[in-house]
């Protein structure tokens, strides 16, 4: 991906997921921002972006982090918020297993407390190991955790699937986690 697309994607993530007020933007309760207002306020803030480039960033973002509404007048982050928004996602039964990529250095805490959402509104889970590995690599020496998601769901835990294919849940208790051994093999 081109450096300018990455830079703009990071800026949009900050504004649409965490700090819209940084540029004086307000999101609605569902996380949507008016595109024209976003562009005007970003430019006044000193982050220069026009509509054609914004369209390109949304289309070419490798993680598909952002979506336009059907009329392409509003934009929002698909998931990953640290501010309260209602994405309008319906509970969805998950597959038998989901995966979570993290840093090996965090395993002690995860073995003790499970997966917690931290500053975000949800724990993010992947449908496959390669995606989880890519996520884990961003945080240090990666490890992939296997989640018994179908069992969690049967036990009453709620899952949602975001527009970009990320599975969301509020937490993953330890009893639903499988930790790989040193060779990366699950028991």
């Amino acid at each position: 991906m081109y450096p300018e697309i990455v830079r703009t994607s990071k800026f949009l993530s900050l504004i649409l997921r965490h700090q819209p007020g940084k540029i004086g933007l307000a999101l609605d309760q569902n996380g949507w921002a008016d595109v024209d207002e976003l562009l005007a306020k970003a430019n006044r803030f000193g982050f220069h972006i026009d509509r054609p480039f914004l369209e390109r960033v949304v289309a070419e973002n490798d993680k598909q982090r952002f979506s336009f509404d059907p009329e392409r007048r509003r934009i929002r982050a698909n998931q990953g918020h640290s501010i309260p928004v209602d994405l309008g996602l319906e509970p969805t039964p998950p597959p038998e297993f989901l995966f979570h990529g993290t840093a090996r250095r965090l395993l002690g805490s995860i073995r003790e407390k499970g997966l917690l959402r931290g500053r975000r509104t949800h724990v993010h889970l992947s449908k496959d190991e390669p995606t989880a590995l890519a996520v884990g690599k961003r945080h240090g020496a990666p490890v992939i955790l296997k989640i018994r998601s179908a069992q969690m769901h049967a036990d009453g835990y709620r899952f949602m699937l975001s527009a970009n294919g990320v599975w969301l849940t509020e937490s993953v208790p330890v009893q639903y986690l499988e930790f790989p051994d040193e060779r990366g093999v699950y028991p």
Side-chain angles (χ1 to χ4, degrees):
M1 198 170 357
Y2 295 104
E4 193 61 24
I5 290 177
V6 172
R7 187 174 87 83
T8 302
S9 178
K10 287 181 179 184
F11 175 78
L12 291 173
S13 289
L14 174 70
I15 299 305
L16 296 176
R17 289 173 153 181
H18 310 295
Q19 296 179 17
K22 186 172 185 86
I23 64 169
L25 186 69
L27 306 180
D28 73 11
Q29 68 182 17
N30 302 113
W32 293 107
D34 179 85
V35 171
D36 293 334
E37 182 182 2
L38 168 69
L39 294 173
K41 290 186 175 188
N43 282 294
R44 273 198 298 277
F45 181 74
F47 197 96
H48 302 287
I49 182 171
D50 61 17
R51 178 66 183 244
F53 192 71
L54 178 65
E55 296 263 355
R56 185 172 168 208
V57 169
V58 171
E60 294 181 20
N61 182 272
D62 60 341
K63 295 183 178 91
Q64 293 298 294
R65 285 189 173 114
F66 315 105
S67 294
F68 288 111
D69 70 354
E71 295 82 29
R72 303 183 85 68
R73 290 193 308 243
R74 298 181 304 161
I75 186 172
R76 75 176 179 185
N78 287 322
Q79 92 309 306
H81 299 83
S82 61
I83 56 175
V85 297
D86 177 4
L87 296 174
L89 301 174
E90 293 296 321
T92 304
E96 183 176 4
F97 297 104
L98 289 169
F99 302 90
H100 181 80
T102 191
R104 188 166 298 282
R105 64 184 160 73
L106 301 175
L107 285 180
S109 175
I110 294 170
R111 285 182 194 278
E112 183 181 318
K113 300 175 186 172
L115 291 174
L116 305 175
R117 62 189 182 175
R119 291 175 289 177
R120 295 194 179 187
T121 56
H122 296 97
V123 172
H124 296 184
L125 305 172
S126 305
K127 66 179 180 191
D128 57 55
E129 291 181 71
T131 303
L133 180 61
V135 171
K137 284 181 177 179
R138 294 188 340 226
H139 304 289
V143 63
I144 302 169
L145 305 177
K146 190 174 185 180
I147 291 89
R148 292 189 296 277
S149 46
Q151 185 61 55
M152 273 184 72
H153 183 259
D155 291 347
Y157 290 87
R158 208 172 105 160
F159 288 82
M160 296 167 293
L161 183 60
S162 71
N164 62 340
V166 175
W167 285 90
L168 307 171
T169 193
E170 290 192 13
S171 66
V172 179
V174 175
Q175 66 265 31
Y176 299 104
L177 291 170
E178 293 183 18
F179 296 86
D181 64 18
E182 302 77 35
R183 298 168 292 145
V185 177
Y186 297 97

